[in-house]
Amino acid sequence: MHLDKAMKQPNREKFIEAMRKELEDHINRKHWKVVPLKNIPKDKVPLPMVWSMKRKRDPLGFILKYKARLGAGGHKSIELVDYWSTYSPVVSWGTVQLMLVLAIVNGWHMQSIDFVLAFPQAPMKTEIFMKPPKVPRDFIIPNLPQFTDRFSKVYKLIRNLYGLKNAGKTWYDFLRRGSIKRGWKPSLIEECLFTKNSIILVVYVDDAVLILPKT
């Protein structure tokens, strides 16, 4: 759901609260820094920030929470200027099925993992500037003055952001490097499968399943 549509909903205040939390998370984690628009390189065009809003529901259709995700308008980015490569491996469904069957047949323990703000955990590889995000007129964030000047300031990304053309690749490369550094071994056949001793980690973008065989 786009921002304009969300702001016309009868429960718009729930979406506004979700937006506030999303922005505060990005700012507190220092995912960007504010710079004067006049100081950015001439070959760099600031990309738009876009909102994606949705209601997360349970299997019965009841609303669990309201979510607001801030992303980049990657469709405005320029190849070989803002990004070089976009390829990011995804685990095959056959591998997922095989791991699940092995776990069930052998009685192994399985634990799902949801990486919180996964993509922004990875540092930027290229220099990207963003326009301030659009917000409703009654949107207020106390003690966050960087949202008061929308026309002379832009945000220089320090961390990866959803929506960028190479966002998936940047996140995967970061995850792979960090996993190897911590003793995990990537499969030679399946790039999104890692092992450490007898533990198996299957990664699908920003979700994962940890499989622990019986000891």
Side-chain angles (χ1 to χ4, degrees), residues 5-200:
K5 183 176 181 180
M7 292 301 98
K8 295 177 182 178
Q9 302 297 308
N11 43 18
R12 67 189 297 272
E13 70 281 354
K14 298 288 187 180
F15 284 115
I16 289 178
E17 183 58 34
M19 291 169 62
R20 184 176 290 109
K21 182 180 184 304
E22 174 79 356
L23 283 171
E24 288 177 344
D25 284 344
H26 282 291
I27 293 169
N28 293 336
R29 296 169 187 262
K30 297 179 171 59
H31 291 165
W32 58 63
K33 67 177 181 179
V34 181
V35 298
L37 175 60
K38 62 181 181 181
N39 290 353
I40 72 174
K42 293 183 178 180
D43 64 333
K44 292 292 183 178
V45 177
L47 303 179
M49 277 188 174
V50 295
W51 287 102
S52 176
M53 327 286 282
K54 72 175 182 178
R55 301 179 182 90
K56 187 173 182 180
R57 301 176 182 271
D58 65 13
L60 297 178
F62 292 102
I63 298 174
L64 296 175
K65 65 177 180 178
Y66 292 77
K67 296 189 67 175
R69 171 169 286 179
L70 190 60
H75 61 289
K76 296 284 187 178
S77 58
I78 303 173
E79 189 175 4
L80 302 183
V81 175
D82 298 321
Y83 66 94
W84 295 85
S85 176
T86 61
Y87 171 73
S88 177
V90 177
V91 66
S92 67
W93 181 235
T95 296
V96 174
Q97 290 178 309
L98 176 60
M99 292 299 105
L100 292 178
V101 169
L102 287 175
I104 294 172
V105 170
N106 293 285
W108 296 345
H109 176 72
M110 292 185 291
Q111 177 68 50
S112 62
I113 300 173
D114 180 15
F115 296 101
V116 179
L117 280 176
F119 283 20
Q121 293 184 36
M124 288 297 298
K125 293 182 177 181
T126 57
E127 197 174 45
I128 298 290
F129 297 90
M130 306 292 302
K131 297 177 182 178
K134 292 182 178 180
V135 295
R137 290 184 178 181
D138 56 348
F139 187 85
I140 300 174
I141 304 183
N143 303 319
L144 296 177
Q146 56 264 56
F147 286 95
T148 61
D149 192 346
R150 295 178 47 82
F151 301 101
S152 64
K153 302 290 179 64
V154 293
Y155 303 153
K156 180 180 180 180
L157 290 185
I158 298 173
R159 294 284 172 172
N160 189 29
L161 192 65
Y162 292 97
L164 293 173
K165 288 284 189 177
N166 61 340
K169 175 175 173 53
T170 301
W171 158 246
Y172 172 78
D173 291 345
F174 173 76
L175 177 67
R176 179 184 171 88
R177 288 194 305 270
S179 299
I180 293 175
K181 184 177 180 180
R182 290 165 176 78
W184 290 89
K185 296 181 179 180
S187 168
L188 297 177
I189 301 174
E190 178 62 78
E191 294 181 272
C192 294
L193 188 148
F194 300 82
T195 58
K196 184 177 182 181
N197 299 325
S198 59
I199 305 174
I200 303 170

